[in-house]
Amino acid sequence: MNVLRPGPLAATLALLVAVFLMMPLVAVIPVSFTPTRYLSVPDAEWSLRHYRALVENPAWAEGAWLSIRIGVVAALVATGLALMFSLGIWMLQPRFAGLLMGLALLPMVAPPVVSALTLYFFLITLSKVNSVVAYDTWAGVALAHAVMIAPFAVVLISVALAQVDRRIDLAARSMGAGLWTRIGRVILPNIRFGILTALFLTFVLSWEEIGVTLFITSVDAVTLPRLMWMGLRDNIDPAIAAISVVLIVVVVTVVLARTAVARSRARRQARA
């Protein structure tokens, strides 16, 4: 079988694009080792003082833990709502499915400032009746993030459902399977990859969200992106470069581990 391989020109262009995309990530690494109190490239002396600051300052660990907690809750809520919505559209096929899908995707296309202001006034209103899901609380931030990231989960799960053959659902129903049995044993196993992808993507989107977070938080719910933004706004703390390098290392490690697992699984399947 003939295998199409990229020519020299295509390979060169791909390499140039990869280098262009990697340059900002690579440039932040030497800056994180600067011995000065401001962002600069070290000349002769390299220092770990800003990495020590990450360990010694509990605000960074607290911000990271808060971002993880908010991201997990927001991802679960957004993916759960998206799953119910997408299943309803796929199974019932309502006449106004296109309109409903457009409304569900509205937060994705609306200007971020408009969404942020809407969520701000919504959480301020909730603050008058409770103190849990309210302005400047982690639960309020998680709810706002879930609203913003749910459309992405809807798209991924809807695409996964579009690949499912409806005849297997009809066959299960003709054999007497109830609604929950069909969903749990027929449909969900066929879209589990789409659900897992939606969970991962929504967590990442919540983790890096800063625009809406600035509107709905003040001093109590300080996430890691907000803490980094405060450092850039107030004194351009080089510790931001250090935490950026740490995040880059974590992401690269996860990607490499995922690639290694996928290759190992592919080799086992090939041997079988």
Side-chain angles (χ1 to χ4, degrees):
M1 182 178 63
N2 295 328
V3 179
L4 296 178
R5 298 183 181 276
L9 179 60
T12 303
L13 290 176
L15 179 61
L16 291 176
V17 171
V19 171
F20 175 77
L21 295 176
M22 291 294 296
M23 283 179 61
L25 301 180
V26 176
V28 76
I29 296 177
V31 175
S32 67
F33 292 98
T34 180
T36 62
R37 294 184 177 181
Y38 52 88
L39 291 176
S40 63
V41 178
D43 296 328
E45 180 185 357
W46 290 49
S47 173
L48 294 174
R49 59 178 296 183
H50 302 297
Y51 288 93
R52 288 195 297 268
L54 296 181
V55 178
E56 296 172 356
N57 188 354
W60 293 106
E62 293 172 0
W65 168 242
L66 181 62
S67 294
I68 292 174
R69 183 170 53 174
I70 291 174
V72 170
V73 173
L76 290 174
V77 172
T79 304
L81 293 176
L83 178 61
M84 291 187 289
F85 174 82
S86 301
L87 281 174
I89 294 293
W90 187 81
M91 299 183 72
L92 300 178
Q93 294 183 300
R95 180 178 303 178
F96 303 106
L99 177 61
L100 294 175
M101 184 64 70
L103 292 175
L105 300 182
L106 191 59
M108 182 188 295
V109 298
V113 175
V114 175
S115 300
L117 285 174
T118 303
L119 291 169
Y120 167 77
F121 288 115
F122 175 68
L123 291 177
I124 287 293
T125 303
L126 288 181
S127 300
K128 299 177 181 179
V129 296
N130 79 101
S131 59
V132 179
V133 184
Y135 173 80
D136 200 23
T137 64
W138 77 269
V141 177
L143 176 62
H145 284 192
V147 172
M148 296 299 298
I149 62 182
F152 297 91
V154 169
V155 171
L156 291 172
I157 296 176
S158 297
V159 170
L161 283 170
Q163 309 300 319
V164 178
D165 192 345
R166 292 183 178 274
R167 289 175 295 183
I168 62 174
D169 181 49
L170 295 176
R173 185 167 57 180
S174 66
M175 297 179 67
L179 175 63
W180 296 110
T181 301
R182 287 155 46 205
I183 292 176
R185 297 190 177 184
V186 177
I187 300 176
L188 292 185
N190 284 279
I191 62 171
R192 61 181 180 274
F193 181 76
I195 296 174
L196 293 176
T197 304
L199 280 170
F200 177 75
L201 177 62
T202 50
F203 173 79
V204 172
L205 292 174
S206 174
W207 169 272
E208 67 178 10
E209 172 59 44
I210 181 61
V212 172
T213 306
L214 292 176
F215 279 80
I216 61 176
T217 59
S218 179
V219 294
D220 293 329
V222 182
T223 62
L224 185 60
R226 180 179 175 84
L227 190 61
M228 297 173 68
W229 179 83
M230 292 167 58
L232 286 174
R233 183 195 63 178
D234 297 336
N235 56 4
I236 313 183
D237 188 358
I240 298 173
I243 190 65
S244 300
V245 173
V246 172
L247 294 177
I248 291 172
V249 171
V250 171
V251 171
V252 171
T253 302
V254 171
V255 171
L256 292 178
R258 177 66 180 86
T259 303
V261 171
R263 289 184 177 180
S264 176
R265 184 179 303 171
R267 285 196 297 266
R268 288 198 301 267
Q269 292 177 352
R271 293 173 183 174

